Amino acid sequence: MVSKESCRNEIRAAIRQLSDRCLYSAAKWAGEQLVGIEQDSSNFTPSNTRFQRGSSSIRRRFSTNESISTPQPSVGFSQPPATPLPQEDEVIDGDLYLLAKSYFDCREYRRASHVLRDQMSKKSVFLRCYALYLAGEKRKEEEMVGLEGPLGKSDAINRELVSLERELSALKRTGAIDSFGLYLYGVVLKEKGNESLARASLVESVNSYPWNWSAWSELQSLCTSIEILNSLNLNNHWMKEFFLGSAYQELRMHSESLAKYEYLQGIFSFSNYIQAQTAKAQYSLREFDQVEIMFEDLLRNDPYRVEDMDLYSNVLYAKEACAALSYLAHKVFLTDKYRPESCCIVGNYYSLKGQHEKAVMYFRRALKLNKKYLSAWTLMGHEYVEMKNTSAAIDAYRRAVDVNPCDYRAWYGLGQAYEMMGMPFYALHYFRKSIFFLPNDSRLWIAMAKCYQSEQLHMLEEAIKCYKRAVNCGDTEGIALNQLAKLHQKLGRNEEAAFYFEKDLERMDAEGLEGPNMFEALVFLATHLKTNKKFDEAEVYCTRLLDYSGPEKEKAKSLLRGIRMAQTGFPSMDMEHFPL
Amino acid sequence: MAGLTRTAGAFAVTPHKISVCVLLQIYAPSAQMSLPFPFSSVSQHNRLGLYLLSLTKACDDMYEMKLEELINQLRELGDDVDAWLTENLTNQFSSLSSPDDLLNFFTDMRGILGSLDSGAVQDDRIVLDHNSNLGMFVRRCILAFNLLSFEMDMEIYVMDKATKEMELHRNASGSVSFHLHTPEALFKVTEGIPYYSPIYAQEEFLRISGLLVSRKEKSSTSKFAEATSVASASSSKVEDTRVDESLFLRTNLQIQGFLMEKADAIEAHGNSFFSSSIESFLEQLQNLAPELHRVHFLRYLNKLHSDDYFAALDNLLRYFDYSAGTEGFDLVPPSTGCSMHGRYEIGLLCLGMMHFRFGHPNLALEVLTEAVRVSQQLSNDTCLAYTLAAMSNLLSEMGIASTTSVLGASYSPVTSTASSLSVQQRVYILLKESLRRADTLKLKRLVASNHLAMAKFELMHVQRPLLSFGPKASMRHKTCPISVCKEIRLSAHLISDFSSESSKMTIDGSLSSVWLKDLQKPWSQPVYSRESSSRNNSTFFKFCDHLVSIPGSVSQIIGASYLIRATSWELYGSAPMARMNTLVYATLFGDSSSSSDAELAYLKLIQHLALYKGYKDAFAALKIAEEKFLTVSKSKILLLKLQLLHEHALHRGNLKLAQRICNELGGLASTTMGVDMELKVEASLREARTLLAAKQYSQAANTAHSLFCTCHKFNLQIEKASVLLLLAEIHKMAGNAVMGLPYALASISFCQSFNLDLLKASATLTLAELWRGLGSNHSKRALDLLHGAFPMILGHGGLELRARAYIFEANCYLSDPSFSVSTDSDTVLDSLRQASDELQALEYHELTAEALYLMAMVYDKLGRPEEREEAAALFKKHITALEIPQDVEPNMA
């Protein structure tokens, strides 16, 4: 276990170094983790406690592990030697550097890089290149806005990439590059499409300087499969745990990811980041109640947070918590209305209110702000489905899929849209795709089964196979068992049908449900057992039916009568000898 | 969504159009007498007119001609006026020194148009009719100019300026297109800009200099035409288009046309090299214009032709997800408001055809069934017609043994009673339905190809009433060559719809680029520019030739009709007619055809060579074809090669080799039931023949028998006839003539009902041989049979068949006691000599030896020892060759 104090010291130094190099988002992230470390009781100040107040009680409620402050280190994980903090090559920044940094802070990137044109220290070189890169990015964005035509954007690219790559690779060859330079080199390579080299450069960067979260997240975006992730040669450091947590999450290995975060919570018990990530993982596992509480908690500590709040709004939407969603939407909108997340939240709000046109408008706005905003595409697809504009829905879903081909929701949406249009065979392909990415979700299997079952296809055997898979995945909605029973009944396989009806009955009993499905199961079982001469068991079901009113009761009565008749009709039965 | 709708912005004033206007002004100056100044003769003047006409027609094309090219073409046009024309053109450009001049220029342009109301045209003045092609062009230019705002006016002027400057420095800088020099801002001139990418000085220069090199290289090797035509080497093409797309604006129409042309190119060059180059080009295009969804479709086509199932599927689905099937499809749009739903049924249709191509008939059928259902639901009759055609094609091509399990259970597309019908009947119904719909919807191409499919159907299937009730139901059980011919003719009517160009015909982008290509074809050949004596006429006729241009898809269908004609003649047994039709196809439609059709034509020609000229020629031709087609995916050339080698090995008596080739042939077929039936039948037919040659009669008979069962199961009627003949042959060779007779008779009756005359003649020969096998007392009857079939055999038969007939005839005579060798020796000797000559070309040792043996015997009887010895020596040579088969196969390499 890393000591909290050493972590704290490492992060403090890192924040200084990162913001010195204008790597602000990495510094921001590090800062969040810094205050996320639980304070020692000896030297906390009132301001620290204020920040950390009020959350631990709720967190304890959901913690499976009682000892929060000292979680068990994961098996096989030994404490690595701490990576020494690199010494600054210049203790005092040169005057030009100070000027360049001010320019940079005023977002005058080209000016900043110009000021540093003759500076040879690693720090200056990095800032110059970084400023140049950002200048190129800015230009690219402007071009993209300016050049959009009816057939879409032209291929605006960052025009600095070529020269940057040339310079950075030369620096790398001579060894005159530090870990920040390697990070930038990795980013440039990634943009140029050279993924494996980019990965190597980023790995080198995080191995020599692990506190740069931006480098880790770039690296994470390049790990598109577990094989790639496992092939990375990473030094052990507590930052690696953060990385793995986020990478596992992206690869849909939610429980692994949760385990990582639980471990990290031992040190960073008050980290908002970890809490949000845990909530994300739980959301994927569909633990909505828990996620809601976590987000409420998060908002209480950090009321002006916009990041990840779109997820919260999804939860509220799923739970149809209209008031809470409205509160969230208004609050976020006052904080920063031109964030894609805010627009998405408002879109969700309108959707819940049934104003689908407005919802679409806000999702569109979110997409204008970030064209690759995956969930907005998918949600917009849902809205279009609601509006019965199938082709627009398909378009939106397809864009989501093209942004991230692993997005099972969008694949599922595509399948649904085609099914709606009466093209079940075509839809099957999309359902298959979505199941490929999430094979353990019963809803997907049920959707596919319904496709097979549709009157156009009528491929019942395949439907049965799908329903079986759904049952194995723990069908939460209780459709599969009933359908299986009915399908078997339809195909004249009464034994199988009886088996599934019985199972379904058990399930309904366990959940305390009643309804037409139950009557159906009882009637079938009673009749089936009666024809198979298992009168005692049949009678049990009939008596259960007698508890209800309506036609079922009459049916039960007549069944019972039949059973009596049959029983009396058998001379061999023992009862026969006793006159009634 | 970017459809094929033409907007006002689609026609933009460009420097090229201004140059054309200048030329028009020269052609028809506003106040002039009948023959304007520089022209010395009316024909010269007319030539310029025709040239201008083709220029205006090409102006909707993807590429715009560069000024330099224009000047070059002008140079080739007029012998003495070209200098003057060029001079004038350049001067005009220089005189446009301010935006105001441009305005004046266009005002002047109005003058060359005749006035609308003046019905009486003065005889001595040349005025452009408002509604003529040239007049329309001028009007469009003027309109487009007037639509420009003030700033744009300025910009056009700047652009012209640049052009002019370029013109001045032309000689120094070599071949630079004038688009390259126009500043970036100018590209904003056009409204409705489809796409473009900005040019930055540095990169631009890099690019231009790179381009210059390639251009120069090309012009130095005078391969200009290749560079511009689609069929050019792909590397240079990609480069060309890259420059084009990054530097100049295109209207939607032009892009769609361009893409269509690319699609044709993909079909015409189905090889992997081409495919990878076009793939990289398409990727680039997609980066440039992510909203141009048609690119996905092209990628699908490309992947389809390079047999990449997953990528093809992915791209197909992506295209229809994005565009809802409404972008760029040239089907007639449905009248009702289907736009809300998109046209995903087309997606289903394409998916079905894709599955078909990849050999998944059941999947394809399932998808097409869904397509039918959705089309009916959305009342998209056009798609329905196409889908039915695709379905019938699928059913007729794929041997689907029991469709009831696939079709009957779920849905039957046309009528509910259809499930009780046989496959052929269903094909027939589907075709009829498709044809009817296509006819009412005026889908000319579909009508034509349906007629072709119908012809195929008529060719292969006997006419039978669909539902037979009562005694009157029996009809003639024959195919009807007349109706085949009729259908083929009906399909060829398509061309007449295009031959007279009407203004109603939409000039899509692809058509207009055809114009340009046609223009460049004759012009690029140095012959025309050098041979001054014959030049005038030839160029003139070239113009006339290309005034009518036929879209590629149409000429493809017409070409296919010739191929079917050839096939039908092949079946009916007229070798010369088959050959002629194939040749017509190869010469007239070879360049516009798809690679698979062209391959088929080669195949037929080579087969013809092998049958009628011997193997030497055939192998030589095969070598040429191999170079051309072996890279094409799913090449039939390999199959043909194996067939030829097998035949050759059988004739030479190299049975081991024959067996090996047989196995290879069988290995080519897919293992899926009902797929590649043709290939499978071919392989087992050849296996039986190999066994027969090895004298393993019972095994051969077994193989042939099971083959017959397969043919029966999959309704391969024509193959049945030849299998029956083979069975007769086997029994004959086994010496069991009595058993052979029924087979031969059955084969003959099959041939009769399908009008397979040549096969029938061959079966008759076998029948005659069988009769003779019963004993020499049947010789008379055998001879009569043979003589009945002789005209057909000698007129149309291949070398082997003819030789066999000759030898058999000689044998009959020789065994006839009433025949005297000494008096009638020539009758026999002529036949035998003919036979042995022909067989030597085939290297058919066994039969040659037989002929020579007979010859030697006859000579012996006649007492001509020298000739006898000669024949005997030859006989010995062939026998040893047969006994020691040479393993070295010169043509295997």
Side-chain angles (χ1 to χ4, degrees), chain A residues 180-220:
Chain A
F180 298 103
L182 283 170
Y183 155 66
L184 188 59
Y185 187 42
V187 171
V188 169
L189 286 170
K190 184 189 158 201
E191 290 256 310
K192 293 213 75 180
N194 194 342
E195 296 207 344
S196 57
L197 260 184
R199 227 175 280 133
S201 177
L202 287 168
V203 165
E204 208 177 319
S205 169
V206 295
N207 277 343
S208 57
Y209 188 87
W211 301 277
N212 181 1
W213 180 245
S214 302
W216 286 108
S217 26
E218 289 293 338
L219 186 58
Q220 187 256 302

Side-chain angles (χ1 to χ4, degrees), chain A residues 139 143 151 398 402 418 425, chain B residues 200 288 290-291 321-322 370:
Chain A
R139 173 103 190 246
E143 259 169 35
L151 291 181
R398 172 47 90 167
D402 280 352
Y418 280 112
F425 201 78
Chain B
Y200 287 89
L288 283 169
E291 297 295 311
D321 286 348
Y322 274 133
E370 189 157 294

Side-chain angles (χ1 to χ4, degrees), chain B residues 328-348:
Chain B
F329 255 94
D330 53 348
L331 305 180
V332 180
S335 52
T336 49
C338 289
S339 54
M340 186 65 187
H341 300 286
R343 282 152 71 186
Y344 297 98
E345 61 274 15
I346 305 177
L348 284 168

Side-chain angles (χ1 to χ4, degrees), chain A residues 320-331:
Chain A
E320 298 184 18
C322 200
L325 186 54
S326 161
Y327 174 72
L328 178 69
H330 285 99
K331 194 167 135 174

Side-chain angles (χ1 to χ4, degrees), chain B residues 721-777:
Chain B
S722 39
V723 177
L724 285 172
L725 180 57
L726 180 67
L727 276 166
E729 204 67 40
I730 292 170
H731 285 294
K732 181 192 88 188
M733 299 293 264
N736 198 345
V738 185
M739 285 285 281
L741 275 176
Y743 286 115
L745 288 170
S747 178
I748 287 175
S749 74
F750 256 102
C751 290
Q752 256 165 351
S753 61
F754 286 94
N755 293 297
L756 312 171
D757 290 353
L758 186 59
L759 196 62
K760 186 184 154 201
S762 160
T764 314
L765 175 61
T766 306
L767 186 67
E769 285 171 338
L770 283 168
W771 275 117
R772 211 186 139 258
L774 286 177
S776 52
N777 47 340

Side-chain angles (χ1 to χ4, degrees), chain B residues 93-304:
Chain B
F93 261 116
S94 332
S95 68
L96 296 174
S97 56
S98 74
D100 198 40
D101 288 341
L102 205 58
L103 191 72
N104 291 337
F105 172 74
F106 275 103
T107 321
D108 288 348
M109 284 303 291
R110 268 170 221 262
I112 69 170
L113 285 174
S115 55
L116 265 178
D117 47 339
S118 69
V121 181
Q122 293 107 311
D123 290 339
D124 56 340
R125 276 191 55 181
I126 303 163
V127 274
L128 293 180
D129 186 358
H130 268 265
N131 296 322
S132 68
N133 267 318
L134 294 180
M136 297 261 264
F137 177 79
V138 171
R139 280 162 59 198
R140 282 172 84 189
C141 282
I142 294 173
L143 181 66
F145 181 78
N146 287 343
L147 281 174
L148 294 178
S149 63
F150 181 72
E151 312 89 273
M152 288 174 170
D153 197 4
M154 285 285 289
E155 279 165 349
I156 276 280
Y157 160 69
V158 179
M159 189 147 65
D160 269 339
K161 243 349 208 194
T163 312
K164 191 184 76 206
E165 276 160 25
M166 175 257 141
E167 173 57 25
L168 295 177
H169 299 293
R170 184 167 56 85
N171 291 333
S173 64
S175 48
V176 183
S177 75
F178 53 52
H179 310 319
L180 296 182
H181 276 255
T182 51
E184 179 194 349
L186 293 189
F187 294 112
K188 288 177 188 152
V189 168
T190 342
E191 295 155 342
I193 300 163
Y195 63 90
Y196 62 93
S197 71
I199 309 148
Y200 287 89
Q202 235 181 348
E203 280 199 15
E204 187 195 10
F205 277 118
L206 284 175
R207 237 186 241 178
I208 293 171
S209 50
L211 175 81
L212 273 178
V213 174
S214 64
R215 282 264 175 206
K216 271 177 191 156
E217 277 168 4
K218 270 174 232 149
S219 55
S220 65
T221 50
S222 77
K223 280 184 178 168
F224 179 73
E226 278 180 42
T228 38
S229 79
V230 183
S232 67
S234 39
S235 59
S236 66
K237 189 186 67 235
V238 169
E239 205 171 310
D240 273 17
T241 46
R242 183 195 299 146
V243 170
D244 257 282
E245 89 213 357
S246 59
L247 295 183
F248 210 60
L249 312 172
R250 307 291 163 209
T251 60
N252 276 336
L253 194 72
Q254 288 170 331
I255 293 170
Q256 300 293 357
F258 174 70
L259 290 180
M260 249 181 242
E261 204 172 87
K262 279 270 173 290
D264 287 347
I266 290 173
E267 199 180 351
H269 306 251
N271 61 41
S272 53
F273 173 69
F274 184 80
S275 135
S276 65
S277 77
I278 205 159
E279 178 67 19
S280 69
F281 162 73
L282 288 174
E283 249 165 49
Q284 229 175 345
L285 192 59
Q286 207 181 332
N287 279 337
L288 283 169
E291 297 295 311
L292 183 67
H293 304 309
R294 194 78 203 273
V295 177
H296 296 302
F297 192 74
L298 258 83
R299 290 180 83 169
Y300 150 70
L301 280 183
N302 190 29
K303 291 295 176 192
L304 185 71

